[in-house]
Amino acid sequence: MRANNVLGILYASSHENTVEALSGPRTMGSIPFGGRYRVVDFLLSAMVNAGISHVLMPTKSNYRSLMDHVGTGKPWDLTRKREGLILLPPFSSGDSKGVYTNRVEAAASILGFIRDADKEYVLLVDGNLVCNPDFGEMLAQHLRSGADITLAAVPGHAPALKNTLLIQTQDTDTLPRVTEIAVTGGDLDGLWAPHILLMRKDLLVSFIERAIDPTVMSFERDLLQENVERLDIRAWTLPNFVTAIDSVETYYNANLALLSTAKRALLFPADRPVYTKVRDEAPTLYGLNSHVQNSLVADGCTIRGEVHDSVIFRGVRIGRGAVVRGSVVMQDSVIGDNAVIENVILDKHVTVAPSSRLSGAARCPYFVPKNTDT
Amino acid sequence: MNRNRECIAMLLAGGQGSRLGVLTQTIAKPAVPYGGKYRIIDFPLSNCVNSGIDTVGVLTQYQPLELADYLGNGQAWDLDRADGGVHILSPYQQIAGTSWYKNTANAIYQNIPFIERYNPAYVLILSGDHIYKMNYNKMLQFHKEKDAACTIAMLEVPWEEASRFGLMKTDESGQILEFEEKPAHPTTNTASMGVYIFSWEKLRAYLVADENNPASSNDFGHDLIPAMHAAGERLFGYQFDGYWKDVGTIDSLWEANLDLLNPNVNIQVQDSAWRIYYQNTAAPPAYIAPGAKTRDCLISEGCSVAGAVDYSVLFSGVTVEEGAQVDYSILMPGAVVKKGARVHTAIVAEDAVIGAGAVVGAASETMQEHLEDWGVAVVGKGVVVADGSTVLPKEMISSGEEH
């Protein structure tokens, strides 16, 4: 189903504090992921692939890299005369204090944009989620069930994030009805709901308008948990690869999870391509003595050494005799000849000196910040 | 906005490229894929943008659909301009009758009104058949310094190929003393690259005269430049010494692709200072599986490689299954090489499938005794080569054929 009657709202700054090493120089949404993407690319592309043509993207701080990345929205075909992508940095005026502290406050600060959008429905999503849902299907199910609010739901282990929803459902002819909602600190097993909410726009607007003090309100408690009996809330199970980034380790494992062909097929289905800012890189050159095994490699790299079980971003150079194992190497990093790195995350533009050695533990990667020369 | 331009480019992209056989069955030659990411036309277009030329007329005639689709509004090359940018110029019906582009000079003649909208002092004429990186702005400076009517970019070509080109002799200042189009018996190996800069007033006058001459074949190299030379106009040769390759044949296209892997050849596409822009596909990074061998090759995003790839160029979205072997070959977007298949010295066009255990082409070492039978095998777009079957060296299979 074409979701062109839906306004998308993507919070680019969600849960940044959980990955300060990565989010220091940027927003959650602009953290590099999967060899050539930024985290925000996945949900933004999923929205566009469903036919959503109007997306609001509130940001909080350090949003320069996000602005640079999304630009005018061209890679997502969201550069439009009408609608399109609108990046919304904090704005201070009479009744708004500028930088907000929670999502309700953020929504309140952009209420004018929400009201003005000529859309009947609104889809709210968090920017720390890496998944590629079929939002057209979610909308179709939402309409068929007649729900007030549809939540995406994922069975399994909930991320260790504050305000994580664990839900109980009851089967119906259409989508299962949510009967209980617990607002938890996450890190528990069960059916959990990432912050992907679909509802009528007027329901969202009236909730925000009635919020006397948005700074103490939350969607989780005050919109969902509080109204679990009064509103018809349904759960739509995400038949998908879903990661909610809640720590550097989760980020690392989610990158390496893409080495599984089955998981890549879930995140990159042929009919829902993931768009990103293009760099017009040349193809990657694999040198005469290179040896690459079980790895994802983006364009524009030169590989002269060994790479095992790793994710290599665009424009990375790996020198002769160098060995890279179990690592995530972000764009334009350089690994000198004969250097060895193992279980490491190299942020962008890191230079690893020739013949040096860096290693982390298998479940606890060693992180090297942006622009470091080791 | 001011529409006047000092220099605009006219890119001749109408060529059929019939010597590329099945590769140009449904697309114009400038749209032929090259180098793992690009199409031939990306090189002249990127050269224009990198040289500061923001208005390019692309003259199409043969199979324009895919080319027009590829160019779109020019955004991929930063040529989506409010004024100027990329314009596709197809032949059209006029009151006096329909006229296809008869030849290169006639194609420009028919677009005089387009050129005049920009009121240029100079017009750069390009073709969509060559792989090279060149700063046209430097050539324009040379043209202005010499106060030339026409400047022709030139380079040395191997003597045995010289008769395929327009050849020229110049004096020390670069002024052209002799110009001969494709002579049977060359007396020089300094050849025209098919890149011309004309002072527009001069070009306009000679285009009109050429059109009014019923004996003319309306070709730049054959008619217009000799006419200018005979009339005593100032014609100059501009020396180019970088990599330049006419990819008009299967062999030269194959070779030009593998040149990207040859450390002795100076065509650097990984060059952020002179980027070659292209229309991107949204594909995830390449996945190199356990057990794969990828040595001395170029592999693009969207590929999945489990077999052995040696000295080859893989375009976006190519699959090489386990146990398959690919060497000295070019695999265009979406090509699939199934389990245990072998591809040696071949060009496999878009979305072609090489069935399990099939053998395409042969390695030159295995044919030392019949080297005259060895050559590049070509599998056309969308062709499915059946499991276990064979495509011989030099063989060319087109879509629609059973194999």
Side-chain angles (χ1 to χ4, degrees):
Chain A
M1 177 165 209
R2 297 279 296 169
N4 52 7
N5 201 14
V6 177
L7 170 69
I9 299 180
L10 201 163
Y11 290 99
S13 305
S14 332
H15 303 292
E16 277 168 3
N17 55 329
T18 61
V19 284
E20 269 167 7
L22 290 160
S23 68
R26 51 176 83 93
T27 61
M28 173 59 87
S30 50
I31 293 174
F33 188 89
R36 66 190 292 266
Y37 304 98
R38 305 288 185 134
V39 171
V40 76
D41 294 342
F42 295 90
L43 284 175
L44 194 53
S45 299
M47 286 182 171
V48 169
N49 286 327
I52 293 177
S53 57
H54 192 19
V55 180
L56 305 178
M57 197 183 284
T59 69
K60 208 153 125 185
S61 52
N62 297 351
Y63 48 81
R64 284 186 196 166
S65 75
L66 184 74
M67 287 179 74
D68 179 41
H69 179 67
V70 302
T72 59
K74 188 76 200 173
W76 301 270
D77 204 16
L78 286 172
T79 307
R80 304 287 181 88
K81 281 191 176 174
R82 293 189 57 204
E83 310 181 334
L85 176 72
I86 305 179
L87 204 61
L88 295 161
F91 180 83
S92 139
S93 71
D95 49 358
S96 151
K97 290 187 283 295
V99 180
Y100 52 84
T101 53
N102 73 37
R103 296 192 204 91
V104 179
E105 200 188 350
S109 77
I110 61 167
L111 192 57
F113 286 89
I114 299 173
R115 274 204 204 99
D116 288 349
D118 182 21
K119 303 287 169 191
E120 213 175 331
Y121 301 93
V122 59
L123 176 67
L124 293 148
V125 303
D126 262 8
N128 68 322
L129 297 169
V130 177
C131 55
N132 190 352
D134 182 348
F135 286 133
E137 172 66 15
M138 186 183 187
L139 176 66
Q141 297 282 356
H142 176 76
L143 296 179
R144 213 154 67 87
S145 69
D148 293 311
I149 298 175
T150 298
L151 303 177
V154 184
H157 191 78
L161 293 170
K162 103 180 168 181
N163 291 339
T164 293
L165 296 180
L166 276 126
I167 59 176
Q168 307 263 336
T169 61
Q170 192 174 58
D171 282 348
T172 72
D173 290 346
T174 57
L175 288 177
R177 172 122 194 218
V178 177
T179 50
E180 263 180 69
I181 297 180
V183 181
T184 73
D187 203 12
L188 296 161
D189 288 324
L191 188 61
W192 61 282
H195 195 79
I196 297 178
L197 314 179
L198 180 63
M199 68 188 98
R200 288 185 63 86
K201 196 184 84 176
D202 53 21
L203 180 62
L204 176 72
V205 170
S206 72
F207 170 72
I208 296 168
E209 282 173 344
R210 282 185 287 108
I212 296 158
D213 183 358
T215 61
V216 297
M217 303 281 284
S218 86
F219 285 120
E220 291 79 9
R221 274 192 328 273
D222 303 295
L223 176 65
L224 299 170
Q225 193 180 35
E226 195 86 328
N227 292 311
V228 72
E229 278 161 16
R230 199 174 62 82
L231 293 176
D232 183 355
I233 302 175
R234 305 287 182 118
W236 178 66
T237 304
L238 270 176
N240 210 283
F241 169 97
V242 184
T243 292
I245 295 173
D246 60 355
S247 66
V248 172
E249 291 71 32
T250 300
Y251 167 83
Y252 169 78
N253 289 324
N255 271 283
L256 296 190
L258 295 181
L259 299 176
S260 145
T261 298
K263 286 184 176 155
R264 273 200 317 284
L266 291 172
L267 193 58
F268 302 105
D271 56 344
R272 290 197 299 280
V274 182
Y275 305 101
T276 190
K277 184 182 178 185
V278 301
R279 291 220 326 182
D280 293 271
E281 292 284 4
T284 283
L285 176 68
Y286 295 72
L288 186 58
N289 295 309
S290 69
H291 184 56
V292 180
Q293 300 285 282
N294 191 37
S295 294
L296 277 177
V297 184
D299 279 344
C301 303
T302 302
I303 299 176
R304 303 203 183 274
E306 278 185 41
V307 181
H308 300 265
D309 312 312
S310 296
V311 177
I312 310 295
F313 282 66
R314 296 186 282 200
V316 167
R317 279 177 287 153
I318 297 172
R320 288 185 176 78
V323 180
V324 176
R325 282 181 200 279
S327 294
V328 175
V329 182
M330 294 189 205
Q331 68 188 62
D332 300 322
S333 284
V334 178
I335 296 159
D337 292 354
N338 303 309
V340 177
I341 68 167
E342 196 165 357
N343 304 327
V344 168
I345 300 173
L346 300 185
D347 204 319
K348 288 170 65 179
H349 298 285
V350 168
T351 303
V352 177
S355 304
S356 59
R357 222 189 152 85
L358 292 173
S359 62
R363 298 219 147 261
C364 183
Y366 179 73
F367 177 80
V368 183
K370 194 174 165 183
N371 299 329
T372 308
D373 276 357
T374 69
Chain B
M1 221 171 284
N2 187 351
R3 191 181 256 177
N4 289 351
R5 294 289 188 280
E6 184 188 32
C7 181
I8 71 166
M10 299 294 276
L11 202 165
L12 297 159
Q16 184 178 350
S18 52
R19 287 175 302 158
L20 287 172
V22 301
L23 297 179
T24 48
Q25 215 160 42
T26 58
I27 55 173
K29 183 171 158 189
V32 168
Y34 169 80
K37 278 282 155 189
Y38 315 98
R39 297 187 187 235
I40 298 169
I41 198 169
D42 290 329
F43 285 78
L45 280 181
S46 301
N47 286 339
C48 281
V49 175
N50 290 333
S51 304
I53 294 170
D54 69 357
T55 304
V56 185
V58 179
L59 296 100
T60 62
Q61 179 152 294
Y62 173 77
Q63 293 283 5
L65 179 66
E66 187 158 330
L67 187 61
D69 207 29
Y70 183 70
L71 294 176
N73 67 351
Q75 196 262 333
W77 303 269
D78 238 351
L79 284 171
D80 52 335
R81 302 295 170 99
D83 234 323
V86 72
H87 293 261
I88 291 176
L89 304 169
S90 304
Y92 54 91
Q93 204 159 30
Q94 302 169 50
I95 293 169
T98 310
S99 48
W100 292 100
Y101 295 150
K102 284 181 282 181
N103 214 328
T104 51
N106 173 258
I108 304 297
Y109 171 82
Q110 292 201 38
N111 286 291
I112 288 175
F114 169 80
I115 296 171
E116 298 210 310
R117 292 167 66 184
Y118 297 96
N119 192 25
Y122 308 99
V123 174
L124 169 67
I125 308 288
L126 301 169
S127 77
D129 303 347
H130 307 125
I131 302 297
Y132 64 113
K133 297 195 297 181
M134 181 177 183
N135 190 334
Y136 303 134
N137 194 35
K138 285 189 180 162
M139 181 174 167
L140 179 61
Q141 297 312 316
F142 175 89
H143 179 87
K144 288 197 267 187
E145 275 162 29
K146 300 294 180 186
D147 191 26
C150 170
T151 300
I152 303 173
M154 59 182 187
L155 88 172
E156 316 278 295
V157 295
W159 276 96
E160 61 273 20
E161 291 176 21
S163 62
R164 286 173 41 209
F165 298 97
L167 301 178
M168 60 190 109
K169 287 180 180 163
T170 58
D171 68 12
E172 280 168 13
S173 73
Q175 185 151 7
I176 294 171
L177 305 172
E178 285 177 39
F179 183 92
E180 228 183 335
E181 182 70 6
K182 299 177 185 165
H185 304 288
T187 56
T188 170
N189 66 334
T190 301
S192 160
M193 295 163 57
V195 174
Y196 313 107
I197 291 178
F198 290 94
S199 294
W200 172 236
E201 284 310 315
K202 294 282 184 190
L203 177 60
R204 190 184 197 290
Y206 280 92
L207 284 172
V208 172
D210 181 69
E211 188 64 19
N212 291 332
N213 175 5
S216 173
S217 61
N218 309 118
D219 181 79
F220 273 100
H222 200 265
D223 307 289
L224 194 127
I225 289 164
M228 288 181 83
H229 189 50
E233 296 289 355
R234 290 174 64 80
L235 307 185
F236 280 77
Y238 174 76
Q239 191 72 44
F240 176 75
D241 52 13
Y243 178 91
W244 179 85
K245 192 127 190 161
D246 181 350
V247 285
T249 62
I250 293 294
D251 286 351
S252 64
L253 179 67
W254 175 78
E255 202 175 281
N257 273 280
L258 296 187
D259 277 348
L260 292 168
L261 292 164
N262 185 341
N264 301 317
V265 171
N266 178 29
I267 174 83
Q268 177 62 269
V269 282
Q270 263 191 18
D271 175 2
S272 55
W274 200 270
R275 234 180 244 284
I276 304 302
Y277 302 99
Y278 54 88
Q279 199 70 265
N280 279 263
T281 47
Y287 177 66
I288 313 298
K293 292 196 180 100
T294 50
R295 289 191 183 170
D296 236 357
C297 54
L298 289 174
I299 298 179
S300 304
E301 289 174 343
C303 288
S304 174
V305 178
V309 180
D310 192 12
Y311 217 76
S312 295
V313 176
L314 272 54
F315 284 73
S316 177
V318 165
T319 305
V320 178
E321 294 185 357
E322 58 185 273
Q325 196 185 332
V326 175
D327 48 44
Y328 294 87
S329 295
I330 318 303
L331 306 185
M332 290 183 178
V336 178
V337 181
K338 298 268 194 188
K339 285 193 175 80
R342 286 186 287 138
V343 178
H344 309 285
T345 316
I347 297 176
V348 179
E350 290 149 282
D351 303 316
V353 178
I354 311 302
V359 178
V360 175
S364 63
E365 313 85 88
T366 64
M367 293 190 67
Q368 289 304 326
E369 278 144 47
H370 314 276
L371 219 45
E372 68 284 359
D373 295 331
W374 179 76
V376 180
V378 182
V379 178
K381 187 172 177 173
V383 171
V384 178
V385 174
D387 292 0
S389 62
T390 303
V391 178
L392 296 172
K394 284 190 180 171
E395 204 177 339
M396 201 184 262
I397 308 173
S398 68
S399 4
E401 266 174 53
E402 282 293 319
H403 203 84

